[in-house]
Amino acid sequence: MKKISFLLVAVLLVGLMGCTTPHATPQIMTTTKPVYDLTHHLCGGTGLSVGLLINESVSCLHDYTLSVQQVQNLEAAEVTVISGGGLENFLSDLLTECPVLVDSSRNIPLLECTEEHDHAQDHHHEADAHIWLNPKNAKQMAANICSGLIAAYPQYTQVFQQNLTQLEFALDSLQAYGEKELAALSCRKLITFHDGFGYLAQAFDLTIAAAMEEESGSEASAKELIALIELVQSHRIPAVFTEVNGSVSAARIISSETGVPVYNLDMGMNSDYFEAMYHNINTLKEALG
């Protein structure tokens, strides 16, 4: 089934991938890989060039700083497409200068994320911006981007709309695959060491039992680790999850104390969107099935 799904997506999108022609400076600049993938698919067959602003291996953008070249690419773009939901807050000053700004998060309800840090004495609440991890949200993002592209380049309206139809079908197939594969899990609770998988859980009727944002300078405390060990044992949670670019130190401690394995989930920040999502679905089935 996994191979069939990958082939289906490949057939649907092969006509869209690699169809842009080289351009000295990208006409359309996208901020992150998920938004780039959606925009690139939509622009297939138009000849418009699409660039990716943040192409390093990153897990989150809290303290990200652009290089001089990245700033120049952003300033030169005709259209800038952002993920939205607060993900690009560090770019707020630069984004106000963009000739055309397309916010792909429009009309998508945001979840609240909770970063658990014992040393802070409290939980910090903010909007979870990782909206693309729910395929239904990705459909709305694609529709928002399509509308923005049509407004900027009306001469390609028909191509954009045709590409959107194909992209929506691929996203519907992804959602259906996940619902089928994850329908009969023995456990539907997740413990993650990145506070960004709420939309993935939302998409497939899972629950985030605990999420810990572990970054340099904010490692898990002994109290937090004990609480997580007790949670795993009391709820018989069969696995814990890290993010492919994130820290694994706390997860390994939990694993050594409880005997449960550690699995990697992918936010799609550095890999193909569909590849990341099918990986996540298959990983969840293996870990929690």
Side-chain angles (χ1 to χ4, degrees), residues 30-262:
T30 61
T31 52
T32 61
K33 189 60 166 59
V35 182
Y36 169 85
D37 285 342
L38 297 175
T39 306
H40 190 228
H41 294 330
L42 290 168
C43 289
T46 64
L48 294 168
S49 58
V50 182
L52 174 59
L53 186 67
I54 301 168
N55 52 23
E56 298 94 339
S57 294
V58 294
S59 179
C60 66
L61 301 176
H62 294 164
D63 301 313
Y64 191 85
T65 302
L66 295 183
S67 68
V68 172
Q69 184 61 58
Q70 287 172 314
V71 172
Q72 291 174 344
N73 288 341
L74 186 61
E75 291 175 341
E78 298 171 353
V79 175
T80 301
V81 184
I82 66 171
S83 181
L87 190 68
E88 292 91 353
N89 282 347
F90 71 102
L91 289 176
S92 56
D93 291 339
L94 286 172
L95 294 178
T96 59
E97 304 297 323
C98 295
V100 178
L101 182 65
V102 179
D103 184 346
S104 67
S105 69
R106 189 164 50 88
N107 298 325
I108 297 177
L110 299 179
L111 298 177
E112 184 182 80
C113 64
T114 303
E115 297 180 8
E116 301 187 20
H117 294 302
D118 181 57
H119 64 266
Q121 301 297 321
D122 199 358
H123 293 168
H124 176 61
H125 299 275
E126 60 181 13
D128 184 350
H130 306 88
I131 54 178
W132 59 86
L133 291 172
N134 184 329
K136 293 179 181 178
N137 288 347
K139 276 186 67 176
Q140 183 62 55
M141 293 171 72
N144 290 339
I145 296 169
C146 186
S147 295
L149 292 174
I150 288 173
Y153 305 103
Q155 67 271 32
Y156 299 121
T157 295
Q158 185 174 358
V159 179
F160 290 142
Q161 291 175 337
Q162 290 173 344
N163 291 345
L164 177 62
T165 297
Q166 292 178 315
L167 188 52
E168 288 177 331
F169 186 83
L171 290 166
D172 285 339
S173 298
L174 171 64
Q175 178 69 32
Y177 177 79
E179 289 175 359
K180 178 180 180 297
E181 294 299 303
L182 303 179
L185 296 177
S186 61
C187 175
R188 308 196 74 83
K189 293 183 174 67
L190 304 181
I191 293 179
T192 65
F193 289 86
H194 191 293
D195 195 8
F197 292 105
Y199 295 100
L200 181 65
Q202 176 194 60
F204 303 113
D205 193 27
L206 304 173
T207 300
I208 303 292
M212 181 176 294
E213 191 75 15
E214 189 178 38
E215 300 174 10
S216 177
S218 61
E219 289 78 10
S221 68
K223 181 179 178 180
E224 288 174 310
L225 292 174
I226 292 171
L228 289 175
I229 290 169
E230 292 176 348
L231 184 63
V232 169
Q233 294 172 335
S234 63
H235 289 268
R236 297 183 179 181
I237 297 175
V240 294
F241 299 90
T242 59
E243 202 277 325
V244 292
N245 294 311
S247 173
V248 300
S249 58
R252 286 176 176 169
I253 294 173
I254 302 302
S255 177
S256 66
E257 293 294 324
T258 62
V260 303
V262 179

